[in-house]
């Protein structure tokens, strides 16, 4: 059962295989399902990027898409997640993509559901396709991860990707640094070294900005926000001190003028919209991995 | 006009034909529309199972699907149901699937709309595709309905399916019994005999549990709920007294530990998830019936 | 970049070309995309007709559809319209259809987005596909616009289509008249002459009723509403005085008994449901115009 739940569960070799497939999809490779193959997207939280990115990936692969949103479903009648997923399996879904507000929602499903689960984000926990698209964007730029210096900047504690990206990048051979407001440091994440943003800026190859999640934060966060941009954001001044060839990543949606100056969102170093494009390719790759029986091998023909 | 509105309007022969087509779909028969053929799904109430089941059925038949939900439509501007359906017909829908909170919403449409209406549930009234999938599940098990003993248990009064299932099963040759809290008996349903659940349990072939609809009930219902499971539910003890070869049905979503013990939802006698799978096949059959001009006859090739 | 933003930006020749293509689609012409081509529908306001009409048009053209509704998106996280559209472009959308509550929302996108924008309604501003479907319906009836007398009746000031229809009809050679409650006259619209409804009724070829938009109006409007039908609506009596061969248009949803007597909605002169059907054809035509690189020329084969 090729679930995709967390980055930790993928071996380095599996990560490299997913990235390789994604690069082939980026070059126009196509696969076709053998018959009508249904995939259900279950989003219990609002999402534009991830939801549509999965939907485009699914449709590019010729899959039939069932879009489920919590508001108009029997979840309102108190149905459990297990029963909802089991229902989708019963009516023919061959894989299910889930975003859910609870950390590790998938632990109650694993071993009980006979179709692969693709985690599209769980609480403050994991967001493996986001990690994979970050990795793909870095790999396209530098060819490999060996010896790269990556700074992850912002709300390390609540971020779905800080943890899994730090771990994956370390395993792939990169050195990871964190820069964060004191209150948002994460004592449990041992895959990076805390340092000052201004010291990191001229040394790093990849600047990975995290989103300030207004919608998850309280009054306490307002104090941090007031001067976040000056203290912890990518200002125009800081960008000028970045190393030649270095790049900027952000999972989006961007708070313009907070994590990054408005003018820099589409600057030469920014790969923010490139990341979104890559999101489609890595999702095609993990769908192909999950549905290998239905989709067969990658076909090296080019898309028209 | 091959509407599907209530079970009462179907002759025994029509029911048998629908079940026969559904069984062929279950075995992999395929049909293809002659050109792009649109079907609109109008759900004015929350639903997972029925909505997705219709959508899968439509897509398996190669139909183009328009998913309408009341929240994001002109119904908010006060548009009538007739005008909404007429609009969908004007823009090209060849059939419309409707779930609506009003009993017999279709009476205002019948004879005025030139496309078939497939009723996906009206108020406390009818839910013919649920009845048909129950029948299909029984037929797969026992071959025919003649002489079967079926108990329908729970909220007989407010259930969409108690009435139509009791009538259809009687017409098909089965004997129907009801077991219900006093307050939920239905004096108007003459197609079954009330009896004690504990007396019925060892005699019946099919135990058809009804959902306790929290969301429709008031304070009064809370009293019933408190000891519903012990008094009216399928406990572990009761299941042990069931006849060899007998089966359990439930329309779902299940309230685990209320209508049925948590441990029994997927027990050997349970056909609950099988019912969901069968829901797709009966919906394919009624869509084929409604769209005979567009879909042609069932093709006996197997799906890949 | 073949955006479709306002009627004013289309030359008379472009309007005629769109209508010609729409007429061919009405006769069954088909076009096919060269490969999988994605279009995103972004609706920030409720809509049945326009949203489904675009979706049917897109699917008839063989396009892959992404349906975005504001409620379940990152717009809830404060994302700008520009970033949302840029995201859709990044994940592969080749065109975007937008309805938005702000007048001229597209001014902040124009020149910055590399895919065509099709305006499906902006605030009280424009609704070019509605104008085009009105024009198509008139052209089907009268062959040309030269010398036709058209009355636009109702809330001229807040209507998206009064302005753009009046201008387009004038440029195409028709004479335009307005009839309106005093409070809803529009001093800025110079493409028509105000007159009394009862004087206009026997002279006009086309009676274009506007929708009374309850949902946009306040207390003040209630006074107008009370006797709107008698004073400004199409009563049974007024319809009898209409010229032979004249037709009735309404953008719908209709307030039955307000703008038009209930009994007249589907009378012999009414083209209200015909307009909806035509909506699909004009939307196919503007999509074809926007996606000429992907869709190629109109193929004159008939649809099966």
């Amino acid at each position: 059962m090729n679930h995709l739940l967390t980055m930790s569960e993928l071996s380095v070799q599996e990560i490299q295989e997913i990235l390789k497939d994604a690069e082939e999809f980026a070059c126009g490779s196509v696969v076709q399902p053998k018959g009508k193959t249904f995939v259900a997207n279950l989003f219990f939280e609002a999402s534009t990027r991830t939801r549509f990115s999965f939907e485009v990936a699914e449709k590019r692969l010729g899959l039939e898409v069932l879009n489920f949103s919590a508001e108009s479903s029997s979840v309102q009648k108190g149905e459990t997640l297990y029963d909802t997923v089991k229902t989708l399996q019963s009516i023919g879904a061959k894989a299910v993509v889930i975003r859910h507000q609870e950390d590790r929602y998938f632990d109650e499903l694993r071993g009980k559901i006979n179709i692969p689960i693709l985690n599209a984000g769980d609480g403050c926990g994991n967001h493996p396709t986001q990690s994979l698209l970050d990795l793909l964007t870095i790999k396209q730029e530098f060819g490999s991860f060996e010896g790269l210096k990556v700074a992850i900047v912002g709300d390390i504690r609540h971020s779905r990707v800080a943890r899994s990206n730090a771990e994956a990048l370390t395993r792939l051979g990169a050195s990871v640094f964190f820069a964060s407001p004191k209150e948002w440091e994460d004592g449990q994440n041992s895959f990076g070294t805390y340092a000052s943003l201004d010291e990191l800026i001229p040394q790093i190859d990849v600047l990975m900005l995290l989103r300030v999640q207004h919608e998850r934060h309280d009054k306490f966060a307002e104090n941090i926000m007031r001067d976040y941009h000056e203290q912890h954001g990518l200002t125009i001044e800081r960008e000028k001190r970045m190393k030649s060839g270095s790049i900027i990543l952000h999972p989006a949606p961007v708070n313009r003028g907070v994590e990054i100056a408005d003018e820099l969102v589409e600057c030469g170093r920014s790969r923010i919209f490139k990341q979104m494009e890559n999101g489609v390719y890595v999702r095609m790759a993990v769908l192909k991995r999950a549905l290998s029986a239905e989709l067969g091998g990658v076909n090296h023909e080019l898309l028209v």
Side-chain angles (χ1 to χ4, degrees), chain A residues 5-289:
Chain A
L5 303 177
T6 67
M7 288 301 286
S8 315
E9 293 174 38
L10 294 175
S11 69
V12 165
Q13 195 192 327
E14 283 175 304
I15 293 173
Q16 295 285 18
E17 275 166 17
I18 291 168
L19 297 180
K20 186 160 163 291
D21 278 351
E23 285 184 285
E24 295 192 5
F25 285 125
C27 293
S29 284
V30 285
V31 293
Q32 281 293 340
K34 290 167 197 160
K36 281 196 202 290
T37 304
F38 288 82
V39 174
N41 298 324
L42 269 71
F43 279 74
F44 294 88
E45 284 190 328
S47 162
T48 302
R49 226 162 313 281
T50 307
R51 194 174 87 62
F52 278 109
S53 180
F54 263 111
E55 185 169 345
V56 171
E58 291 153 4
K59 289 182 170 172
R60 276 201 187 285
L61 292 171
L63 302 168
E64 302 282 343
V65 180
L66 300 172
N67 279 321
F68 172 103
S69 69
E71 309 92 58
S72 58
S73 79
S74 288
V75 171
Q76 292 195 335
K77 302 184 194 164
E79 191 169 39
T80 64
L81 181 59
Y82 171 78
D83 283 338
T84 301
V85 174
K86 185 87 183 172
T87 296
L88 292 165
Q89 179 187 327
S90 299
I91 64 176
K94 297 298 183 203
V96 62
V97 175
I98 305 179
R99 166 168 291 194
H100 200 284
Q101 62 280 3
E102 267 181 44
D103 279 23
R104 300 189 69 83
Y105 66 82
F106 43 78
D107 286 339
E108 64 165 303
L109 302 176
R110 208 201 299 238
K112 296 167 70 185
I113 294 294
N114 293 324
I115 53 175
I117 300 163
L118 303 179
N119 182 11
D122 62 290
C124 297
N126 301 276
H127 194 355
T129 56
Q130 179 68 44
S131 294
L132 289 164
L133 74 87
D134 292 341
L135 296 178
L136 177 62
T137 311
I138 295 171
K139 195 178 171 207
Q140 284 173 337
E141 203 71 33
F142 300 101
S144 90
F145 302 92
E146 213 63 51
L148 288 182
K149 288 185 177 174
V150 181
I152 305 181
V153 176
D155 183 355
I156 308 292
R157 187 187 298 203
H158 302 92
S159 166
R160 279 169 178 155
V161 287
R163 209 160 317 170
S164 49
N165 274 10
E167 183 186 340
L169 284 162
T170 301
R171 287 160 70 206
L172 288 160
S175 306
V176 177
F177 302 89
F178 299 137
S180 166
K182 205 95 212 128
E183 297 83 346
W184 288 347
E185 291 185 358
D186 179 3
Q188 316 215 290
N189 186 338
S190 58
F191 296 96
T193 314
Y194 283 86
S196 128
L197 177 59
D198 284 307
E199 282 170 38
L200 289 171
I201 280 287
Q203 304 175 45
I204 54 175
D205 301 291
V206 179
L207 177 61
M208 195 176 272
L209 302 169
L210 299 176
R211 195 170 169 269
V212 175
Q213 297 178 293
H214 303 292
E215 66 281 8
R216 292 182 188 238
H217 290 309
D218 49 8
K219 273 272 159 80
F220 164 76
E222 281 179 24
N223 297 322
I224 300 179
M225 289 297 291
R226 213 168 300 135
D227 45 13
Y228 188 93
H229 187 58
E230 278 313 306
Q231 304 250 336
H232 311 283
L234 185 64
T235 58
I236 291 175
E237 185 276 328
R238 283 192 184 105
E239 191 269 344
K240 286 189 184 137
R241 294 194 292 116
M242 286 179 74
K243 209 162 100 173
S244 161
S246 64
I247 61 170
I248 301 162
L249 304 184
H250 188 298
V254 170
N255 296 298
R256 288 168 175 264
V258 181
E259 299 103 37
I260 180 169
D262 193 25
E263 300 87 334
L264 297 177
V265 172
E266 298 178 59
C267 73
R269 296 184 194 290
S270 168
R271 294 295 175 273
I272 298 177
F273 289 107
K274 183 73 182 171
Q275 283 173 280
M276 294 180 204
E277 186 189 333
N278 284 338
V280 175
Y281 306 132
V282 298
R283 285 168 184 125
M284 291 174 81
V286 297
L287 283 159
K288 183 199 150 228
R289 176 175 172 270

